[in-house]
Every structure is written in structure tokens, then in C-alpha cells.
Amino acid sequence: MTNGGDPARTLALLWRDEAAIPRRGPRRGLSLDQVVDAAIAVADAEGLAVLSIRRVAQALDTSPMTLYTHVPGKAELLDLMIDSAYARMPRTGTAGRPWREKLTAVAADNRTLFRDHPWTIAVSTQRPALGPGALGKYEHELAALDGLGLTDVQMDDCLTYLLLFVHAAARTEHEARVVREATAMTDEQWWAAAGPVLGRLVDPDAFPLASRVGAAAGEAHGSAYEPEHVYEFGLGRVLDGVALVLPRHT
Amino acid sequence: MTNGGDPARTLALLWRDEAAIPRRGPRRGLSLDQVVDAAIAVADAEGLAVLSIRRVAQALDTSPMTLYTHVPGKAELLDLMIDSAYARMPRTGTAGRPWREKLTAVAADNRTLFRDHPWTIAVSTQRPALGPGALGKYEHELAALDGLGLTDVQMDDCLTYLLLFVHAAARTEHEARVVREATAMTDEQWWAAAGPVLGRLVDPDAFPLASRVGAAAGEAHGSAYEPEHVYEFGLGRVLDGVALVLPRHT
DNA sequence: GCCCTACTCTGTACACTGTACAACGTGAAC
DNA sequence: GTTCACGTTGTACAGTGTACAGAGTAGGGC
């Protein structure tokens, strides 16, 4: 999705490198920040699927091709959007608190990011666009793992693992909401439509465990996936897993 | 991505409901399985981004609109593709082995699925298309958690948690490969291009932890994300986390 | 054996995407 | 004052899912 072209060009944009801005020609009618902010506004309000160059240009009351003088392409625009979202996301201060609280706060901050800007869930973070936002985020999150007796590599491992979980949980939660809105059907309505047909087509005795456990899980949390429960259960297991890596298991 | 229209219609297709096949009209030149298999072949070979109704029709040497007599739309086609992949994925037998081995095998089988059919990573599994493949998969995976003293709800929780991790790990691994191929650049080449520019633009003292830990992690596993390491480390933590849920911690 | 009609197959059409390209006007540097 | 780098813009291309309408086919009822 992202990672468009020349890394050097993208970095110059991310860090607003003054050496890269041209000295000749007409004045620009728009600043880079205006373009990025408009793109974020569109993505927030209407989703990544609706985000298009034409749509952003429309929001800025200019022509689509004008944007290409500010940004090399859509991929780089996404890089800039992500870094801007990183720079503005919450960074809860937890200095002096127990490590479990610190990591819970890091997870919560990331969850807030994914909820406020669901489009961040879908863009790749491989070869991250290392802008000021991404670096500030990484620095802040590493602080939660500092001083626990972990090696540098272990700190990175644990953080990667934690964020992998939060990202995945946010993705399923977001998918659930998208499906609900796209089908204009709650899970209850969906099951009401699917259940009887399923009952007619499939023999429960052929899938005894699936029938029993599926029914129990469906009854426990409202019918299907309960994102809140997935997150709470998962985060608990993640922290338990990390605890065993710490020199003093606390 | 998936979850198109009428659940009843989709279920009838998934279970190949004979009551739903029409009795009148000309003979069809194609079977549903041919359509699904052709779509899977295209997605395997060329990726989900290239998978289009026109492309599948071309592979079957027919016209695009013909496919719509077999399948209501692209969403339902994806449901059918997924269920077919589920039905054919490996199900390693681990009866009588310790629970850790069982869950490791479940994770490995899913990882194999995601590697053999990377497009399965990107399609939503919310409100899963409950076809024979999905049910068989669920039944088999629950067996790995049976008899450990867990409640039904806990069995579902632990399985969901494990699969969430494998899915997320597979996603980052796949993204890394896509980025590498799309940019025609190895991570080393990318860093060689980005590193010096980054060094010129950013002051390491402003991000002390990030600089130190990032460098250590980059040096430990080749430059950036090492998917194999992420998987091994993560799976270990997942199993440690699950262990504490078991009545007898073993 | 015949007809009706449910069905399959297909070409065309619409609104949408990212962005290459070329033409035109602007304004800073020499 | 001239030059030419640069910003702005309209048009164009190849692609997407699928609605719709027309044409041809064959099973069920008589």
C-alpha cells in the first residue's frame, strides 16, 4: 500500500527538509501540511476505500493533478498521513509505575490511534516511513520497557510482539464494524438469517466440538466476536507471556 | 472484502445445496468448482490485487458476465475460495501428544495455509462463511484444546488468540515480501539509500532509546523485521500465556 | 410432439481509480 | 529584461464490479 518510490525523497518530505524546497517558479497555493491534513480528514470521515487523489483535491478545491506537485504519488501521501497520525497520537505518561501498567498504557494509546484513524490499520508498516512521528512513537514506547533488565534486542522483541497483538485486535474490531455497516445487519440479524439454513444443511453430529463450543462462545459474548473480550483476554495473555521474559518474574 | 449479500444464498452455495440448483434452462458449460478453482489459481499465481472477474473469466475462456450465473458477485466468490482453501489445508494429527505440541502444530498448519495462499491473509473472517471447510477446520483445531480442563468458552478464547497471532505474523511476513518485490529492493539496499539521508536529517540524541535499540535490533536480525524471529518469539509467548489459563500449569 | 418459460450466455454501459503527458502562465535569478 | 524552472491544469488510458437487455436453449406439462 505504501512505500512508493525513492526513500530519500520520502524522507525529505517527512522531515520537511528545507534544502529540498525549490527556489524558483510561482508561489504554491497550498502547503504540504494542508494536503496531508485534508487527506487525513477524508480518510477519517469516509474511509480509506474512498480516499482518492480526486477526492482530496476536491476537498481542497483544486484540481487532482495539482497534488502531484506537492507529493510524488499516493503511496508517499499515505506515508505522510501515517507519520502525522503517529505524531499526534496520545502518549500516556507512566514514569514510575509498574511495568504492567506501562505496557497496558502503550497498548491503550495504540488502540486509541486505531480507533480514531481506522485507516492506519490497513496501511503497511513494513519498512516504516521513519518520520518524526514514527521515531517519537518508538522512543516513547521503548521507555516503557527500559530499566527492566531486558537486552536491547529483547526490548524490541517485546514491543513488536505487543504492537502486533494490538494491531491484530484493532483490525478484527474494525472489520466487524465495517461488516455490520456494509450489510446493514447486526450479528443477531445475520444469525437469524443464517442459523436456520445452516441447521438444515449441516449435521451437528459431524462437528460435535464445533457445535458445542461455538454455541457456548456465541452465547457467552453476544452471538459472535466480542472485540472488547478479545482485547482484554489477549492483552492479559500477552503480558503474561512477556512477564516470563523478564529477569525477575513479577 | 467478503460477506456480500444474502447469507442463505451464500450458505446454499458453500454446502453445494442440491435443492438450490435449477432444473430448467440450458446446460451450464462450467461447474461451480471450476470457477472457484480457477479463481484460486489466479489469486495464488498473481495475487489478490490482480484477481478480477474479468481475469477469472479469461482463465476459463469465457465472458465475464457468465460468471455471474454461477456466483452472485465477487464477495461470494471470495467466500467460496476461502472455504475451499480451508477444506484443503493440512490438518496435522497430534492425538496423544502434549498440548504444547498440539497447539504448535495448529499454528504451523495455519501458517502453511497463509504461505500457500497469501490472499487468504487479506480477506475478512468476520462473520465467517460457515462452509464445510471452515467447520472442519474449527472442529480439528478445537480438538487440540480438548481434554485440558478448559471450559468451552476458554477453548474458544485460546484458539481465537492463537489464530489471531498466527494471522498477524503471517500478514507482516507477507507484507515484507510484497514490499521487497514491489520496490525491487532488499532491506539492505533500502537502508543503504535511506540511512545516510536519515543521518543528515535527524539528531540521534533527540531519540536516544530509539537509536540504540533500533540499531541493536537491526544488527541482530538482518536489518529490519525478521519474520521467522517474530514468529518464533511470538509463538513462545502465546503458548506461555495460554499455559497460565490451564488448570494444571504444565 | 409442442409450447411455454425459466434459465444461460453475452455485449454494452457507467462511474470510478492513479497518474503520464503536454500545454500554459508565473516569477525568481542572472 | 530575459530565461527557464516551476506550479497548475485538461485530457487520456487501462483498469475495476456489475446492472441491464437481448438472444439462444432445453426441461416440464399437455
Side-chain angles (χ1 to χ4, degrees):
Chain A
M1 186 63 93
T2 180
N3 279 289
D6 180 22
R9 173 80 196 272
T10 304
L11 283 171
L13 285 169
L14 281 168
W15 292 89
R16 306 295 194 272
D17 184 12
E18 302 204 1
I21 67 173
R23 302 253 154 264
R24 301 263 276 272
R27 264 181 236 107
R28 333 179 76 137
L30 255 41
S31 71
L32 180 56
D33 285 313
Q34 275 179 287
V35 173
V36 174
D37 289 346
I40 290 178
V42 170
D44 283 349
E46 310 178 36
L48 196 59
V50 180
L51 181 77
S52 69
I53 297 291
R54 283 172 178 83
R55 185 69 193 74
V56 176
Q58 188 190 43
L60 289 165
D61 204 30
T62 184
S63 79
M65 292 313 292
T66 298
L67 299 192
Y68 284 93
T69 66
H70 295 84
V71 155
K74 197 185 182 184
E76 288 84 353
L77 178 57
L78 282 167
D79 283 339
L80 288 161
M81 291 167 64
I82 279 279
D83 201 68
S84 173
Y86 282 167
R88 293 195 259 227
M89 71 183 279
R91 306 213 205 293
T92 304
T94 48
R97 321 293 324 233
W99 70 267
R100 252 184 127 95
E101 255 178 67
K102 287 183 180 177
L103 291 191
T104 302
V106 167
D109 286 347
N110 275 274
R111 201 181 188 206
T112 302
L113 168 73
F114 292 134
R115 282 180 162 173
D116 289 350
H117 308 291
W119 48 271
T120 55
I121 294 169
V123 316
S124 165
T125 51
Q126 293 303 121
R127 273 183 216 167
L130 289 176
L135 248 62
K137 176 180 192 282
Y138 189 40
E139 179 76 18
H140 173 259
E141 289 166 349
L142 284 174
L145 285 156
D146 201 23
L148 294 176
L150 296 174
T151 68
D152 287 350
V153 174
Q154 283 175 321
M155 285 174 67
D156 186 70
D157 286 345
C158 289
L159 180 58
T160 299
Y161 176 57
L162 176 68
L163 296 184
L164 190 75
F165 164 74
V166 178
H167 189 176
R171 179 182 298 274
T172 66
E173 175 172 357
H174 178 59
E175 275 177 0
R177 199 153 58 91
V178 166
V179 164
R180 205 179 326 122
E181 288 168 5
T183 61
M185 248 187 198
T186 65
D187 279 5
E188 283 78 12
Q189 291 170 323
W190 185 80
W191 272 106
V197 187
L198 203 59
R200 187 171 59 78
L201 289 170
V202 43
D203 174 19
D205 295 341
F207 307 95
L209 272 174
S211 306
R212 195 189 78 207
V213 176
E219 197 162 338
H221 5 96
S223 73
Y225 273 166
E226 178 57 67
E228 201 60 36
H229 177 74
V230 171
Y231 180 79
E232 292 299 336
F233 180 87
L235 183 58
R237 300 294 72 69
V238 168
L239 296 182
D240 287 350
V242 167
L244 299 183
V245 182
L246 301 182
R248 283 181 307 280
H249 302 354
T250 11
Chain B
M1 188 60 96
T2 179
N3 279 290
D6 180 21
R9 173 81 197 272
T10 304
L11 283 171
L13 285 169
L14 281 167
W15 291 90
R16 306 294 195 273
D17 184 12
E18 302 205 0
I21 69 172
R23 303 253 153 265
R24 304 263 276 271
R27 264 182 235 104
R28 332 179 77 138
L30 254 42
S31 72
L32 179 56
D33 285 314
Q34 275 179 288
V35 173
V36 174
D37 288 347
I40 291 178
V42 170
D44 283 349
E46 310 178 35
L48 196 58
V50 181
L51 180 77
S52 68
I53 297 290
R54 283 171 177 83
R55 184 70 192 75
V56 177
Q58 188 190 44
L60 289 166
D61 204 29
T62 184
S63 80
M65 292 312 293
T66 298
L67 299 192
Y68 284 92
T69 65
H70 295 84
V71 156
K74 197 184 182 184
E76 288 83 352
L77 178 56
L78 281 167
D79 283 338
L80 288 161
M81 290 167 64
I82 280 278
D83 201 68
S84 173
Y86 282 166
R88 295 195 258 227
M89 72 183 278
R91 306 216 203 302
T92 304
T94 48
R97 320 295 323 237
W99 69 268
R100 250 183 129 94
E101 254 177 69
K102 286 183 180 175
L103 291 191
T104 301
V106 167
D109 286 348
N110 275 274
R111 200 179 189 207
T112 302
L113 168 71
F114 292 133
R115 283 180 161 172
D116 289 350
H117 308 291
W119 49 271
T120 55
I121 295 170
V123 316
S124 164
T125 52
Q126 293 304 121
R127 273 183 216 168
L130 290 176
L135 248 62
K137 176 180 191 285
Y138 190 39
E139 179 76 18
H140 173 259
E141 289 166 349
L142 284 174
L145 284 156
D146 201 23
L148 294 175
L150 296 175
T151 67
D152 287 350
V153 174
Q154 283 176 321
M155 285 173 67
D156 186 69
D157 286 344
C158 289
L159 180 58
T160 299
Y161 177 58
L162 176 68
L163 296 184
L164 190 75
F165 163 75
V166 178
H167 189 175
R171 179 182 297 273
T172 66
E173 175 172 357
H174 179 59
E175 274 176 0
R177 199 154 58 91
V178 166
V179 165
R180 205 180 324 122
E181 287 168 4
T183 62
M185 247 188 200
T186 65
D187 280 3
E188 284 78 11
Q189 291 171 321
W190 184 81
W191 272 106
V197 188
L198 204 59
R200 187 171 61 77
L201 289 170
V202 44
D203 174 20
D205 295 341
F207 307 94
L209 273 174
S211 307
R212 196 190 75 207
V213 176
E219 197 162 337
H221 5 96
S223 73
Y225 274 164
E226 178 57 67
E228 200 61 35
H229 177 74
V230 170
Y231 181 79
E232 292 299 336
F233 180 87
L235 184 58
R237 300 295 72 69
V238 168
L239 296 181
D240 286 351
V242 167
L244 299 182
V245 182
L246 301 182
R248 284 180 308 279
H249 302 355
T250 12

